[in-house]
Amino acid sequence: MRSVSDLTARARIRDAALARFGTDGIAGTSVRAVAADAGISPALVVHHFGSKDGLRQACDDYVLDSIRSGGEAASEALGEVLQAATPVRRYLARALLDDTPAARALFAEIVERTETWLETGEAEGWVRTSADARARTVTYVSWLLAPLVLGDHVGRLLGGDPAETATAVRGARAGLEMLTNGLFADDRWLAAFTAIDERNSR
Amino acid sequence: MRSVSDLTARARIRDAALARFGTDGIAGTSVRAVAADAGISPALVVHHFGSKDGLRQACDDYVLDSIRSGGEAASEALGEVLQAATPVRRYLARALLDDTPAARALFAEIVERTETWLETGEAEGWVRTSADARARTVTYVSWLLAPLVLGDHVGRLLGGDPAETATAVRGARAGLEMLTNGLFADDRWLAAFTAIDERNSR
DNA sequence: CTGATTATTGAACGTCTGTTTAGTCCGCGT
DNA sequence: ACGCGGACTAAACAGACGTTCAATAATCAG
């Protein structure tokens, strides 16, 4: 029953909403616009989803499922979503900014998974030790998500189509390079930061 | 004339709009709500700014000026904005997502400034060489901006108040650590990525 | 003090919003 | 054949939206 209706109108509405919400924002999208994109009447979307907020929740659930079912490793699944599904990408960025409950849960979940992943790496010796492991994980995850949120700007400045895979790969490679070799050749900035930090806390 | 009126109603409207736009989004904010926050009538905001879009442009200009006048070094000025002015921070994040012309210009400008800064560092030996300098700069800037856009999530996961300075400092320090020492102790991920990349392009 | 310019408002406009209601259509079990 | 439930719609609702307009209050040059 679910899968049958999921191939028809209900899914079309959800997909249209995902795209619209992603590009125009949730507040900037009207139920009528979604209905028009899906080729149905505005009354049908509330028949299927109860309300506009119900539709948004359905989008949240769909995106979460897409990511969770994408694989085991957080970075892999995210990487795929990041490169492939542009509407999902945009929606996710909006949801993260709008502080949707689903986005909140997703962020926490990614951080948790990444934390254990980094801990494993640390134990096995391919991840360096850190003075503040938690802060490092959270910062690392925010860096992972950065091109997702700022994808358009990154893409534009890297020339070419923001949606094109090659552009995203270029950025990802540059990031990996920084995370492997480091960006700075000496610790002048880290030392300077530590100095300022100590002066402030003293 | 400008400075006189800028201390009174006009400035109050702009500040109220900045805060509202930042938290609720531009489309999610009504002129009436801004007017109520500023303690004036809705008709006055259109008298001063022409339209809602005019108000948004005024906010854009104000934020750009705030950042540009903040200092010479891009990272310093950004760092201050990132830590201090929360409403500006939130507004900037929204503007970057909504692809405002001002946000577009700002991003390009930061990238340009950072590019020359990194080139200097490379010449002076405190920045490592890169296989793709442009991609590295853009990625680095997106990482700089990441805690700005995802500040709430980062702050929440790092415990404590997201607006509190100490939280932001913790994240910044962790980031600096990764950029100085690297995150990965060997090049297994970089090598793996390169391998996949070559396979795909072949 | 007068006149003109500006700041500010209340009320109204037309449009768009999310949602409701009453109803039609169609497939399916009995 | 019948009726029943779900998909679907046109029309309407009340409210919020951005904006306009005429009018009042404040400001300031002469």
Side-chain angles (χ1 to χ4, degrees), chain A residues 27-28 93-94 96-99 103-104 107-108 111 117 125-132 134-136 138-140 142-143 145-146 149-150 153-154 156-158 169-190 193-194 197, chain B residues 27-28 93-94 96-99 103-104 107-108 111 117 125-132 134-136 138-140 142-143 145-146 149-150 153-154 156-158 169-190 193-194 197:
Chain A
R94 293 276 182 186
L96 281 168
L97 250 205
D98 284 346
D99 216 7
R104 220 181 252 226
F107 191 88
V111 165
W117 180 65
W126 47 270
V127 165
R128 300 185 190 276
T129 57
S130 167
D132 187 346
R134 184 65 172 182
R136 183 176 68 176
V138 174
T139 303
Y140 173 70
S142 80
W143 286 0
L145 260 31
V149 177
L150 302 170
H153 299 279
V154 169
R156 194 177 331 108
L157 270 286
L158 245 42
V169 167
R170 245 182 99 191
R173 209 203 126 83
L176 215 41
E177 201 184 282
M178 279 190 274
L179 289 175
T180 302
N181 303 325
L183 171 66
F184 302 119
D186 56 42
D187 66 346
R188 66 179 65 196
W189 297 109
L190 187 55
F193 190 88
T194 307
D197 200 11
Chain B
R94 292 276 183 186
L96 281 168
L97 250 205
D98 284 346
D99 216 6
R104 221 181 251 226
F107 192 88
V111 166
W117 179 66
W126 47 270
V127 165
R128 300 185 190 276
T129 57
S130 167
D132 188 344
R134 183 64 172 182
R136 182 176 68 175
V138 174
T139 303
Y140 174 70
S142 81
W143 286 1
L145 260 30
V149 177
L150 303 171
H153 299 278
V154 169
R156 195 178 331 108
L157 270 285
L158 245 43
V169 167
R170 244 183 100 190
R173 209 204 127 81
L176 215 42
E177 201 185 281
M178 279 191 274
L179 290 175
T180 302
N181 302 325
L183 171 66
F184 302 119
D186 56 43
D187 65 346
R188 65 180 64 194
W189 297 109
L190 187 55
F193 190 88
T194 307
D197 200 13

Side-chain angles (χ1 to χ4, degrees), chain B residues 12-115:
Chain B
R12 287 216 317 279
I13 298 173
R14 197 228 305 115
D15 288 349
L18 215 66
R20 280 275 179 183
F21 285 166
T23 55
D24 301 337
I26 296 178
T29 300
S30 70
V31 175
R32 284 172 169 86
V34 173
D37 286 358
I40 47 91
S41 76
L44 191 60
V45 11
V46 54
H47 167 72
H48 276 301
F49 297 94
S51 68
K52 184 184 181 181
D53 197 69
L55 178 59
R56 203 223 63 225
Q57 272 178 250
C59 288
D60 276 7
D61 294 346
Y62 179 76
V63 170
L64 249 69
D65 283 354
S66 299
I67 293 176
R68 279 202 255 259
S69 69
E72 283 223 319
S75 51
E76 273 188 31
L78 250 202
E80 284 179 24
V81 169
L82 187 144
Q83 290 185 25
T86 351
V88 174
R89 223 179 66 189
R90 297 186 109 104
Y91 177 83
L92 201 69
R94 292 276 183 186
L96 281 168
L97 250 205
D98 284 346
D99 216 6
T100 280
R104 221 181 251 226
L106 179 67
F107 192 88
E109 194 179 317
I110 296 177
V111 166
E112 233 49 61
R113 280 205 234 172
T114 307
E115 180 107 357

